[in-house]
Amino acid sequence: MEKFIVRGPCTLKGEVNISGAKNAAVAILPATLLVRGKCHLENVPDISDIRAYYEILESLGSKITYISKNEVIIDNSEINSAIVSYELTSKFRASYYLLGSLLGRFDKVQISLPGGCNLGARPIDQHIKAFEKLGATIEVKSGNVYATRTERLKGAPIFLDVVSVGATINAILSATLAEGITVIENVAKEPHVVDVANFLNSMGAKIKGAGTDSIKVTGVTSLEQVSSYSIIPDQIETGTFMVAAAVTKGDVLVKNCIPKHMEPITAKLIEAGATVEEFESSIRVSMNKRPSSFSIKTMPYPGFPTDMQPQMSILLCLCDGTGMIVESIWESRFLYTDELAKMGADISAHGTTAIIKGVDKLYGAPVKSHDLRAGAAMIIAGLVAEGDTEVTNIAHILRGYEDICQKFSGLGANIEYVVDDEVNTCD
Ligand code: EPU
């Protein structure tokens, strides 16, 4: 069994480099399928979700040249299948992007219903609505999604009923090679949505408005190879290290990030009493006092990201007063609160609201990583807790954080990666 052992407390100090954005990369990899040629990608995070995507692409006929752990050339000149194996696609959420991209190239596509973190119901009705608006027929049966088209997809107006990252990106992917104009309204504005649009535009797509409420895609008949595209830095990994710096009353320079993307998190850290200095592509976070209490309501970008609320909760666990987190994106994102209670946190969650009364100290305990971001929160809690925290179920964490153990060690944390009781220091 894999686990992290975090020996606290510690004060994080130093510099950390942020990797490429997971949620951009998991859409850009399938987006490469739209071009019958090569795409050279840089700043691709080396995480298990990405390795799973490489496996899927290779199973379809992609030839991938691994230049370094963060740089690949994907050659999709000869894709010979649009049927993706259940074993490969059911493992993670972002496999749904294969529907939008493969529909640009094939008449019939089959993938399994996507898996991913258990955050409550994760419907794909808005993705299906977008494909159907463009003329595809979608059938969901026996755990699979079947998408078919009898002719080239046709551009159409699409109004999304909910602001969805995945449906927005899938609508863009399927509209890119459609005939005519698609206007997508009520779209997600997350930085990774903009990055996917920028990547597609670098291949010759005609996408305007990404980052605003309405996106216009003028369909093109083909796309061109990409000689070099660098994926944006990961907003949530950046936020995770910013919060960890504040929680441990440390002083950390978080490098290779985009400060503008961090505004909702920066604002809350300042409210909590941290000092945040922004530079062109780095952010320094330091803290030297007990956090003040604050409240959060998660919202689509530019609101406070749901993927940062578990990490931020650790500041509230130690705050002076009582804070509240209202989760408005996922119905079941508070499973981690029981784990924090084992560490001495005074935290209670009811439905989509958690109330957290600050305590003086957390204490190390065996805790479980319920999902990717909850797992990151457990590590942060372990960094500040007195004693040893053993975090299990860490496959979730490894899905989305590159070298997390090494990065925290580099900042002075005492953290070990243990597999089957064999200790691996993370230097
Ligand atoms: N929704 C629907 N119908 C749909 C799609 C979504 O009702 O067809 C609802 C969802 O149930 C949810 C809301 O819309 O209540 C937003 O869901 P969204 O589609 O935006 O989520 P997603 O695309 O499945 C991505 C990230 C998640 C992140 C959310 C919200 C990827 C691969 N995943 O998921 O990231 O929490 O957006 O920002 O991009 C993570 O990285 O840890 C993670 C879970």
Side-chain angles (χ1 to χ4, degrees), residues 22-24 26-27 49 92-97 117 119-129 160-169 188 190 192 234 236 299-301 305-307 327-331 333 371-374 399-401:
K22 167 180 92 79
N23 290 344
V26 293
D49 267 9
F92 67 119
R93 185 77 189 154
S95 52
Y96 51 36
Y97 293 132
C117 284
L119 308 172
R122 298 190 76 172
I124 58 163
D125 56 302
Q126 298 304 305
H127 302 236
I128 293 174
K129 174 178 169 174
L160 297 176
D161 300 334
V162 291
V163 177
S164 156
V165 169
T168 301
I169 292 178
E190 269 67 4
H192 30 287
D234 197 297
I236 305 301
M299 303 282 280
Y301 189 83
T306 172
D307 293 341
E327 171 58 49
S328 69
I329 309 292
W330 300 118
E331 62 186 24
R333 200 158 203 175
D371 63 63
L372 166 57
R373 308 306 172 184
R399 282 187 37 225
Y401 286 94

Short mmCIF file of all heavy atoms in Angstrom, two decimals, residues 22-24 26-27 49 92-97 117 119-129 160-169 188 190 192 234 236 299-301 305-307 327-331 333 371-374 399-401, ligand 1:
data_model
loop_
_atom_site.label_atom_id
_atom_site.label_comp_id
_atom_site.label_asym_id
_atom_site.label_seq_id
_atom_site.Cartn_x
_atom_site.Cartn_y
_atom_site.Cartn_z
N LYS A 22 -3.05 20.52 -14.79
CA LYS A 22 -3.70 19.22 -15.06
C LYS A 22 -4.96 19.40 -15.90
O LYS A 22 -5.15 18.72 -16.91
CB LYS A 22 -4.07 18.55 -13.73
CG LYS A 22 -5.02 17.36 -13.91
CD LYS A 22 -5.38 16.70 -12.60
CE LYS A 22 -6.61 17.21 -11.92
NZ LYS A 22 -7.89 16.75 -12.44
N ASN A 23 -5.84 20.31 -15.48
CA ASN A 23 -7.14 20.39 -16.14
C ASN A 23 -7.09 21.04 -17.53
O ASN A 23 -8.04 20.93 -18.29
CB ASN A 23 -8.17 21.04 -15.23
CG ASN A 23 -8.53 20.12 -14.06
OD1 ASN A 23 -8.23 18.92 -14.11
ND2 ASN A 23 -9.12 20.67 -13.01
N ALA A 24 -5.95 21.67 -17.86
CA ALA A 24 -5.74 22.10 -19.25
C ALA A 24 -5.16 20.93 -20.03
O ALA A 24 -5.62 20.60 -21.13
CB ALA A 24 -4.79 23.29 -19.30
N VAL A 26 -5.36 17.70 -19.58
CA VAL A 26 -6.27 16.57 -19.86
C VAL A 26 -7.27 16.90 -20.97
O VAL A 26 -7.97 16.01 -21.46
CB VAL A 26 -7.03 16.08 -18.60
CG1 VAL A 26 -6.10 15.45 -17.60
CG2 VAL A 26 -7.89 17.17 -18.00
N ALA A 27 -7.35 18.15 -21.36
CA ALA A 27 -8.19 18.51 -22.51
C ALA A 27 -7.33 18.72 -23.75
O ALA A 27 -7.77 18.43 -24.88
CB ALA A 27 -8.98 19.79 -22.20
N ASP A 49 -2.88 10.96 -14.16
CA ASP A 49 -3.96 11.19 -15.13
C ASP A 49 -3.39 11.41 -16.53
O ASP A 49 -3.99 11.00 -17.53
CB ASP A 49 -4.80 12.42 -14.74
CG ASP A 49 -6.01 12.03 -13.88
OD1 ASP A 49 -6.09 10.86 -13.47
OD2 ASP A 49 -6.87 12.91 -13.64
N PHE A 92 -10.88 7.78 -15.16
CA PHE A 92 -10.81 9.20 -14.79
C PHE A 92 -11.81 10.04 -15.56
O PHE A 92 -12.34 9.63 -16.60
CB PHE A 92 -9.38 9.72 -14.89
CG PHE A 92 -8.82 9.78 -16.28
CD1 PHE A 92 -8.42 10.99 -16.80
CD2 PHE A 92 -8.67 8.65 -17.05
CE1 PHE A 92 -7.90 11.06 -18.07
CE2 PHE A 92 -8.14 8.70 -18.32
CZ PHE A 92 -7.76 9.92 -18.84
N ARG A 93 -12.08 11.19 -15.01
CA ARG A 93 -13.16 12.05 -15.46
C ARG A 93 -12.93 12.63 -16.87
O ARG A 93 -13.82 12.65 -17.70
CB ARG A 93 -13.26 13.20 -14.44
CG ARG A 93 -14.39 14.13 -14.65
CD ARG A 93 -15.67 13.52 -14.18
NE ARG A 93 -16.82 14.30 -14.57
CZ ARG A 93 -18.03 13.80 -14.74
NH1 ARG A 93 -18.24 12.52 -14.55
NH2 ARG A 93 -19.02 14.58 -15.07
N ALA A 94 -11.71 13.08 -17.08
CA ALA A 94 -11.46 13.87 -18.29
C ALA A 94 -11.46 13.04 -19.56
O ALA A 94 -11.27 13.57 -20.66
CB ALA A 94 -10.14 14.61 -18.15
N SER A 95 -11.74 11.73 -19.44
CA SER A 95 -11.84 10.92 -20.65
C SER A 95 -13.03 11.38 -21.50
O SER A 95 -13.11 11.07 -22.68
CB SER A 95 -11.95 9.44 -20.29
OG SER A 95 -12.97 9.24 -19.35
N TYR A 96 -13.95 12.18 -20.90
CA TYR A 96 -15.09 12.65 -21.70
C TYR A 96 -14.67 13.56 -22.86
O TYR A 96 -15.41 13.73 -23.81
CB TYR A 96 -16.20 13.28 -20.85
CG TYR A 96 -15.80 14.37 -19.86
CD1 TYR A 96 -14.81 15.29 -20.12
CD2 TYR A 96 -16.49 14.47 -18.64
CE1 TYR A 96 -14.48 16.27 -19.21
CE2 TYR A 96 -16.18 15.45 -17.72
CZ TYR A 96 -15.16 16.35 -18.01
OH TYR A 96 -14.85 17.32 -17.11
N TYR A 97 -13.47 14.13 -22.78
CA TYR A 97 -13.03 15.00 -23.89
C TYR A 97 -12.77 14.20 -25.17
O TYR A 97 -12.68 14.78 -26.26
CB TYR A 97 -11.78 15.79 -23.50
CG TYR A 97 -12.04 16.81 -22.41
CD1 TYR A 97 -11.21 16.91 -21.30
CD2 TYR A 97 -13.12 17.69 -22.50
CE1 TYR A 97 -11.45 17.83 -20.30
CE2 TYR A 97 -13.37 18.62 -21.50
CZ TYR A 97 -12.52 18.69 -20.41
OH TYR A 97 -12.76 19.61 -19.43
N CYS A 117 -12.88 11.60 -9.36
CA CYS A 117 -13.08 11.75 -7.92
C CYS A 117 -14.57 11.67 -7.59
O CYS A 117 -15.41 12.15 -8.35
CB CYS A 117 -12.56 13.11 -7.47
SG CYS A 117 -10.78 13.19 -7.36
N LEU A 119 -17.30 13.19 -5.99
CA LEU A 119 -17.67 14.48 -5.40
C LEU A 119 -19.19 14.62 -5.38
O LEU A 119 -19.72 15.71 -5.26
CB LEU A 119 -17.07 15.63 -6.22
CG LEU A 119 -15.56 15.55 -6.51
CD1 LEU A 119 -15.14 16.62 -7.48
CD2 LEU A 119 -14.77 15.67 -5.22
N GLY A 120 -19.90 13.50 -5.55
CA GLY A 120 -21.36 13.52 -5.68
C GLY A 120 -21.71 13.26 -7.14
O GLY A 120 -20.88 12.80 -7.91
N ALA A 121 -22.95 13.57 -7.52
CA ALA A 121 -23.40 13.30 -8.89
C ALA A 121 -22.54 14.09 -9.88
O ALA A 121 -22.23 15.25 -9.64
CB ALA A 121 -24.86 13.71 -9.02
N ARG A 122 -22.14 13.43 -10.97
CA ARG A 122 -21.36 14.14 -11.99
C ARG A 122 -21.98 13.88 -13.36
O ARG A 122 -21.45 13.13 -14.18
CB ARG A 122 -19.89 13.71 -11.93
CG ARG A 122 -19.26 14.05 -10.58
CD ARG A 122 -17.77 13.87 -10.56
NE ARG A 122 -17.07 14.94 -11.25
CZ ARG A 122 -15.74 15.08 -11.23
NH1 ARG A 122 -15.00 14.24 -10.57
NH2 ARG A 122 -15.15 16.07 -11.89
N PRO A 123 -23.13 14.52 -13.62
CA PRO A 123 -23.83 14.28 -14.88
C PRO A 123 -23.05 14.82 -16.08
O PRO A 123 -22.19 15.69 -15.93
CB PRO A 123 -25.15 15.04 -14.71
CG PRO A 123 -24.88 16.07 -13.69
CD PRO A 123 -23.81 15.54 -12.79
N ILE A 124 -23.37 14.28 -17.29
CA ILE A 124 -22.77 14.84 -18.51
C ILE A 124 -23.87 15.28 -19.49
O ILE A 124 -23.66 15.34 -20.69
CB ILE A 124 -21.77 13.86 -19.18
CG1 ILE A 124 -22.44 12.53 -19.53
CG2 ILE A 124 -20.54 13.64 -18.33
CD1 ILE A 124 -21.63 11.71 -20.55
N ASP A 125 -25.05 15.59 -18.93
CA ASP A 125 -26.17 15.98 -19.80
C ASP A 125 -25.84 17.21 -20.65
O ASP A 125 -26.29 17.31 -21.80
CB ASP A 125 -27.43 16.24 -18.96
CG ASP A 125 -27.20 17.29 -17.88
OD1 ASP A 125 -26.30 17.09 -17.04
OD2 ASP A 125 -27.89 18.33 -17.89
N GLN A 126 -25.06 18.15 -20.13
CA GLN A 126 -24.76 19.36 -20.91
C GLN A 126 -23.78 19.08 -22.05
O GLN A 126 -23.82 19.73 -23.09
CB GLN A 126 -24.22 20.47 -20.00
CG GLN A 126 -25.21 20.92 -18.93
CD GLN A 126 -26.54 21.37 -19.53
OE1 GLN A 126 -26.59 22.26 -20.39
NE2 GLN A 126 -27.62 20.75 -19.09
N HIS A 127 -22.91 18.10 -21.83
CA HIS A 127 -22.00 17.68 -22.92
C HIS A 127 -22.86 17.09 -24.05
O HIS A 127 -22.70 17.42 -25.22
CB HIS A 127 -21.04 16.58 -22.45
CG HIS A 127 -20.19 16.95 -21.26
ND1 HIS A 127 -18.81 16.87 -21.30
CD2 HIS A 127 -20.50 17.37 -20.01
CE1 HIS A 127 -18.32 17.22 -20.11
NE2 HIS A 127 -19.33 17.51 -19.32
N ILE A 128 -23.79 16.20 -23.63
CA ILE A 128 -24.63 15.52 -24.60
C ILE A 128 -25.48 16.53 -25.37
O ILE A 128 -25.62 16.46 -26.60
CB ILE A 128 -25.51 14.46 -23.89
CG1 ILE A 128 -24.59 13.36 -23.34
CG2 ILE A 128 -26.58 13.89 -24.81
CD1 ILE A 128 -25.28 12.31 -22.48
N LYS A 129 -26.02 17.49 -24.62
CA LYS A 129 -26.84 18.53 -25.26
C LYS A 129 -26.03 19.26 -26.35
O LYS A 129 -26.53 19.50 -27.45
CB LYS A 129 -27.29 19.52 -24.18
CG LYS A 129 -28.02 20.73 -24.68
CD LYS A 129 -28.44 21.59 -23.49
CE LYS A 129 -28.94 22.94 -23.93
NZ LYS A 129 -29.46 23.72 -22.83
N LEU A 160 -25.74 26.61 -22.44
CA LEU A 160 -25.53 25.63 -21.36
C LEU A 160 -26.41 25.99 -20.16
O LEU A 160 -26.46 27.15 -19.76
CB LEU A 160 -24.05 25.60 -20.95
CG LEU A 160 -23.07 25.15 -22.05
CD1 LEU A 160 -21.63 25.24 -21.56
CD2 LEU A 160 -23.38 23.73 -22.52
N ASP A 161 -27.09 25.00 -19.60
CA ASP A 161 -27.99 25.26 -18.46
C ASP A 161 -27.20 25.50 -17.18
O ASP A 161 -27.67 26.19 -16.27
CB ASP A 161 -28.94 24.07 -18.23
CG ASP A 161 -29.80 23.81 -19.44
OD1 ASP A 161 -30.03 24.76 -20.21
OD2 ASP A 161 -30.24 22.66 -19.63
N VAL A 162 -26.02 24.87 -17.09
CA VAL A 162 -25.16 25.13 -15.92
C VAL A 162 -23.78 25.50 -16.45
O VAL A 162 -23.41 25.11 -17.55
CB VAL A 162 -25.02 23.88 -15.00
CG1 VAL A 162 -26.29 23.55 -14.28
CG2 VAL A 162 -24.51 22.67 -15.76
N VAL A 163 -23.07 26.27 -15.65
CA VAL A 163 -21.72 26.65 -16.06
C VAL A 163 -20.82 25.44 -15.81
O VAL A 163 -20.57 25.08 -14.67
CB VAL A 163 -21.23 27.88 -15.26
CG1 VAL A 163 -19.79 28.22 -15.64
CG2 VAL A 163 -22.15 29.06 -15.52
N SER A 164 -20.39 24.80 -16.88
CA SER A 164 -19.62 23.56 -16.77
C SER A 164 -18.32 23.67 -17.55
O SER A 164 -18.33 23.99 -18.76
CB SER A 164 -20.46 22.41 -17.31
OG SER A 164 -19.65 21.35 -17.73
N VAL A 165 -17.21 23.40 -16.86
CA VAL A 165 -15.89 23.40 -17.51
C VAL A 165 -15.88 22.35 -18.62
O VAL A 165 -15.54 22.62 -19.77
CB VAL A 165 -14.80 23.09 -16.47
CG1 VAL A 165 -13.46 22.82 -17.14
CG2 VAL A 165 -14.68 24.21 -15.46
N GLY A 166 -16.27 21.13 -18.24
CA GLY A 166 -16.18 20.02 -19.19
C GLY A 166 -17.09 20.21 -20.40
O GLY A 166 -16.68 19.98 -21.54
N ALA A 167 -18.33 20.65 -20.17
CA ALA A 167 -19.26 20.82 -21.29
C ALA A 167 -18.80 21.97 -22.19
O ALA A 167 -18.92 21.89 -23.42
CB ALA A 167 -20.67 21.07 -20.77
N THR A 168 -18.24 23.02 -21.59
CA THR A 168 -17.75 24.14 -22.40
C THR A 168 -16.64 23.66 -23.32
O THR A 168 -16.64 23.91 -24.54
CB THR A 168 -17.22 25.29 -21.50
OG1 THR A 168 -18.28 25.73 -20.65
CG2 THR A 168 -16.70 26.46 -22.31
N ILE A 169 -15.68 22.92 -22.74
CA ILE A 169 -14.54 22.46 -23.55
C ILE A 169 -15.00 21.45 -24.60
O ILE A 169 -14.60 21.50 -25.76
CB ILE A 169 -13.42 21.89 -22.65
CG1 ILE A 169 -12.81 23.03 -21.82
CG2 ILE A 169 -12.34 21.19 -23.49
CD1 ILE A 169 -11.72 22.61 -20.84
N ALA A 188 -18.08 28.26 -19.06
CA ALA A 188 -17.08 28.38 -17.98
C ALA A 188 -15.94 29.27 -18.47
O ALA A 188 -15.60 29.27 -19.65
CB ALA A 188 -16.55 26.98 -17.63
N GLU A 190 -12.84 29.42 -16.74
CA GLU A 190 -11.61 29.01 -16.05
C GLU A 190 -10.38 29.19 -16.94
O GLU A 190 -10.48 29.05 -18.17
CB GLU A 190 -11.72 27.52 -15.66
CG GLU A 190 -12.29 27.23 -14.29
CD GLU A 190 -13.77 27.61 -14.14
OE1 GLU A 190 -14.39 28.03 -15.12
OE2 GLU A 190 -14.30 27.49 -13.02
N HIS A 192 -8.11 27.21 -17.62
CA HIS A 192 -7.82 26.04 -18.49
C HIS A 192 -8.74 26.02 -19.71
O HIS A 192 -8.37 25.49 -20.75
CB HIS A 192 -7.86 24.71 -17.73
CG HIS A 192 -8.78 24.65 -16.56
ND1 HIS A 192 -8.53 25.29 -15.37
CD2 HIS A 192 -9.95 24.00 -16.38
CE1 HIS A 192 -9.51 25.04 -14.53
NE2 HIS A 192 -10.39 24.26 -15.12
N ASP A 234 -0.39 25.36 -13.29
CA ASP A 234 -1.58 24.85 -12.61
C ASP A 234 -2.03 25.81 -11.50
O ASP A 234 -1.32 26.04 -10.51
CB ASP A 234 -1.27 23.47 -12.02
CG ASP A 234 -2.54 22.72 -11.68
OD1 ASP A 234 -3.30 23.17 -10.80
OD2 ASP A 234 -2.76 21.67 -12.28
N ILE A 236 -4.43 25.38 -9.32
CA ILE A 236 -4.75 24.74 -8.04
C ILE A 236 -3.48 24.27 -7.33
O ILE A 236 -3.38 24.36 -6.10
CB ILE A 236 -5.75 23.59 -8.25
CG1 ILE A 236 -7.00 24.09 -8.99
CG2 ILE A 236 -6.13 22.93 -6.92
CD1 ILE A 236 -7.77 25.21 -8.29
N MET A 299 -17.41 29.06 -6.25
CA MET A 299 -18.12 29.58 -7.43
C MET A 299 -17.29 29.26 -8.67
O MET A 299 -16.09 29.08 -8.58
CB MET A 299 -18.21 31.12 -7.36
CG MET A 299 -18.87 31.68 -6.14
SD MET A 299 -20.64 31.56 -6.22
CE MET A 299 -21.03 32.94 -7.25
N PRO A 300 -17.94 29.26 -9.85
CA PRO A 300 -17.13 29.15 -11.08
C PRO A 300 -16.17 30.35 -11.17
O PRO A 300 -16.44 31.40 -10.59
CB PRO A 300 -18.17 29.21 -12.21
CG PRO A 300 -19.47 28.84 -11.57
CD PRO A 300 -19.38 29.33 -10.14
N TYR A 301 -15.07 30.20 -11.91
CA TYR A 301 -14.09 31.27 -12.10
C TYR A 301 -14.78 32.53 -12.63
O TYR A 301 -15.64 32.41 -13.50
CB TYR A 301 -13.02 30.80 -13.10
CG TYR A 301 -11.84 31.72 -13.21
CD1 TYR A 301 -10.79 31.66 -12.31
CD2 TYR A 301 -11.77 32.67 -14.24
CE1 TYR A 301 -9.69 32.50 -12.42
CE2 TYR A 301 -10.68 33.52 -14.36
CZ TYR A 301 -9.64 33.43 -13.45
OH TYR A 301 -8.56 34.26 -13.55
N PRO A 305 -12.36 28.87 -6.25
CA PRO A 305 -12.48 27.54 -6.86
C PRO A 305 -12.82 26.43 -5.86
O PRO A 305 -12.19 26.34 -4.80
CB PRO A 305 -11.10 27.29 -7.48
CG PRO A 305 -10.18 28.28 -6.87
CD PRO A 305 -10.98 29.40 -6.28
N THR A 306 -13.77 25.59 -6.23
CA THR A 306 -14.11 24.44 -5.40
C THR A 306 -12.88 23.56 -5.14
O THR A 306 -12.77 22.97 -4.07
CB THR A 306 -15.22 23.60 -6.07
OG1 THR A 306 -15.39 22.39 -5.34
CG2 THR A 306 -14.94 23.24 -7.52
N ASP A 307 -11.97 23.51 -6.11
CA ASP A 307 -10.80 22.64 -5.95
C ASP A 307 -9.79 23.16 -4.93
O ASP A 307 -8.76 22.53 -4.70
CB ASP A 307 -10.10 22.43 -7.31
CG ASP A 307 -10.97 21.65 -8.28
OD1 ASP A 307 -11.92 20.98 -7.81
OD2 ASP A 307 -10.72 21.72 -9.49
N GLU A 327 -20.17 25.07 -0.22
CA GLU A 327 -19.78 24.45 -1.48
C GLU A 327 -20.96 24.52 -2.45
O GLU A 327 -22.01 23.95 -2.19
CB GLU A 327 -19.38 22.99 -1.21
CG GLU A 327 -19.13 22.14 -2.44
CD GLU A 327 -18.05 22.67 -3.36
OE1 GLU A 327 -16.96 23.00 -2.88
OE2 GLU A 327 -18.32 22.77 -4.58
N SER A 328 -20.76 25.24 -3.56
CA SER A 328 -21.92 25.39 -4.45
C SER A 328 -21.74 24.67 -5.79
O SER A 328 -22.60 24.77 -6.65
CB SER A 328 -22.23 26.87 -4.67
OG SER A 328 -21.21 27.45 -5.43
N ILE A 329 -20.62 23.95 -5.96
CA ILE A 329 -20.42 23.25 -7.24
C ILE A 329 -20.73 21.76 -7.09
O ILE A 329 -21.46 21.19 -7.87
CB ILE A 329 -18.96 23.41 -7.74
CG1 ILE A 329 -18.52 24.88 -7.75
CG2 ILE A 329 -18.79 22.74 -9.12
CD1 ILE A 329 -19.19 25.76 -8.75
N TRP A 330 -20.15 21.12 -6.06
CA TRP A 330 -20.31 19.66 -5.88
C TRP A 330 -21.14 19.38 -4.65
O TRP A 330 -21.00 20.03 -3.62
CB TRP A 330 -18.94 18.97 -5.77
CG TRP A 330 -18.07 19.17 -6.97
CD1 TRP A 330 -16.86 19.79 -7.03
CD2 TRP A 330 -18.34 18.72 -8.31
NE1 TRP A 330 -16.37 19.78 -8.32
CE2 TRP A 330 -17.27 19.12 -9.13
CE3 TRP A 330 -19.40 18.03 -8.91
CZ2 TRP A 330 -17.21 18.86 -10.50
CZ3 TRP A 330 -19.34 17.77 -10.28
CH2 TRP A 330 -18.26 18.17 -11.04
N GLU A 331 -22.00 18.37 -4.73
CA GLU A 331 -22.92 18.09 -3.62
C GLU A 331 -22.26 17.33 -2.48
O GLU A 331 -22.77 17.31 -1.37
CB GLU A 331 -24.15 17.34 -4.13
CG GLU A 331 -23.84 15.99 -4.72
CD GLU A 331 -25.06 15.31 -5.34
OE1 GLU A 331 -26.02 16.02 -5.73
OE2 GLU A 331 -25.05 14.09 -5.43
N ARG A 333 -18.61 17.23 -1.11
CA ARG A 333 -17.19 17.52 -1.09
C ARG A 333 -16.66 17.71 0.34
O ARG A 333 -15.59 18.28 0.54
CB ARG A 333 -16.88 18.75 -1.94
CG ARG A 333 -15.44 18.78 -2.32
CD ARG A 333 -15.05 19.57 -3.50
NE ARG A 333 -13.77 19.02 -3.98
CZ ARG A 333 -13.16 19.41 -5.06
NH1 ARG A 333 -13.67 20.33 -5.81
NH2 ARG A 333 -12.00 18.87 -5.41
N ASP A 371 -10.36 12.32 -1.96
CA ASP A 371 -10.26 12.70 -3.38
C ASP A 371 -8.97 13.49 -3.54
O ASP A 371 -8.23 13.69 -2.56
CB ASP A 371 -11.51 13.47 -3.85
CG ASP A 371 -11.70 14.80 -3.14
OD1 ASP A 371 -10.83 15.67 -3.29
OD2 ASP A 371 -12.71 14.99 -2.44
N LEU A 372 -8.70 13.92 -4.75
CA LEU A 372 -7.43 14.59 -5.05
C LEU A 372 -7.16 15.80 -4.14
O LEU A 372 -6.11 15.90 -3.50
CB LEU A 372 -7.47 15.00 -6.52
CG LEU A 372 -6.46 15.97 -7.09
CD1 LEU A 372 -5.04 15.48 -6.88
CD2 LEU A 372 -6.72 16.15 -8.59
N ARG A 373 -8.11 16.72 -4.08
CA ARG A 373 -7.84 17.96 -3.32
C ARG A 373 -7.96 17.73 -1.82
O ARG A 373 -7.27 18.37 -1.03
CB ARG A 373 -8.80 19.07 -3.78
CG ARG A 373 -8.83 19.29 -5.28
CD ARG A 373 -7.47 19.54 -5.90
NE ARG A 373 -7.53 19.55 -7.36
CZ ARG A 373 -6.47 19.67 -8.15
NH1 ARG A 373 -5.25 19.75 -7.64
NH2 ARG A 373 -6.59 19.67 -9.46
N ALA A 374 -8.84 16.81 -1.43
CA ALA A 374 -8.93 16.46 -0.01
C ALA A 374 -7.60 15.85 0.43
O ALA A 374 -7.13 16.11 1.55
CB ALA A 374 -10.07 15.48 0.21
N ARG A 399 -2.69 11.51 -8.89
CA ARG A 399 -3.38 11.79 -10.15
C ARG A 399 -3.14 13.23 -10.59
O ARG A 399 -3.18 13.53 -11.79
CB ARG A 399 -4.90 11.62 -9.98
CG ARG A 399 -5.39 10.20 -9.97
CD ARG A 399 -6.91 10.18 -9.98
NE ARG A 399 -7.41 11.26 -10.79
CZ ARG A 399 -8.41 12.08 -10.45
NH1 ARG A 399 -9.04 11.91 -9.31
NH2 ARG A 399 -8.80 13.04 -11.24
N GLY A 400 -2.94 14.14 -9.61
CA GLY A 400 -2.97 15.55 -10.00
C GLY A 400 -1.82 16.42 -9.52
O GLY A 400 -1.78 17.59 -9.87
N TYR A 401 -0.93 15.90 -8.69
CA TYR A 401 0.18 16.73 -8.20
C TYR A 401 1.50 16.08 -8.59
O TYR A 401 1.80 14.97 -8.16
CB TYR A 401 0.13 16.87 -6.67
CG TYR A 401 -0.96 17.79 -6.18
CD1 TYR A 401 -2.20 17.28 -5.81
CD2 TYR A 401 -0.76 19.16 -6.08
CE1 TYR A 401 -3.22 18.11 -5.36
CE2 TYR A 401 -1.78 20.00 -5.63
CZ TYR A 401 -2.99 19.48 -5.27
OH TYR A 401 -3.99 20.30 -4.83
N1 EPU B 1 -22.88 19.63 -14.47
C1 EPU B 1 -24.12 19.24 -14.91
N2 EPU B 1 -24.22 18.69 -16.16
C2 EPU B 1 -23.14 18.52 -16.95
C3 EPU B 1 -21.87 18.91 -16.48
C4 EPU B 1 -21.77 19.47 -15.23
O1 EPU B 1 -25.12 19.40 -14.22
O2 EPU B 1 -23.29 18.02 -18.07
C5 EPU B 1 -22.76 20.26 -13.12
C6 EPU B 1 -21.91 19.42 -12.17
O3 EPU B 1 -22.67 18.43 -11.54
C7 EPU B 1 -21.37 20.48 -11.22
C8 EPU B 1 -21.21 21.71 -12.13
O4 EPU B 1 -22.03 21.47 -13.28
O5 EPU B 1 -22.32 20.76 -10.25
C9 EPU B 1 -19.81 22.02 -12.59
O6 EPU B 1 -19.25 20.85 -13.17
P1 EPU B 1 -18.12 20.95 -14.31
O7 EPU B 1 -18.67 20.32 -15.53
O8 EPU B 1 -17.62 22.34 -14.40
O9 EPU B 1 -17.00 20.00 -13.72
P2 EPU B 1 -16.06 19.05 -14.51
O10 EPU B 1 -15.77 19.58 -15.87
O11 EPU B 1 -16.53 17.64 -14.41
C10 EPU B 1 -13.86 20.25 -13.82
C11 EPU B 1 -12.59 19.83 -13.13
C12 EPU B 1 -12.85 19.60 -11.65
C13 EPU B 1 -13.45 20.86 -11.02
C14 EPU B 1 -14.68 21.31 -11.80
C15 EPU B 1 -15.24 22.64 -11.32
C16 EPU B 1 -11.50 18.71 -14.93
C17 EPU B 1 -11.00 17.43 -15.50
N3 EPU B 1 -12.10 18.63 -13.75
O12 EPU B 1 -14.76 19.14 -13.63
O13 EPU B 1 -11.57 19.39 -11.09
O14 EPU B 1 -13.80 20.61 -9.68
O15 EPU B 1 -14.37 21.44 -13.20
O16 EPU B 1 -14.28 23.64 -11.45
O17 EPU B 1 -11.31 19.76 -15.50
C18 EPU B 1 -9.96 18.49 -9.67
O18 EPU B 1 -9.10 18.89 -10.47
O19 EPU B 1 -9.70 18.06 -8.53
C19 EPU B 1 -11.37 18.50 -10.08
C20 EPU B 1 -12.30 17.76 -9.49
#
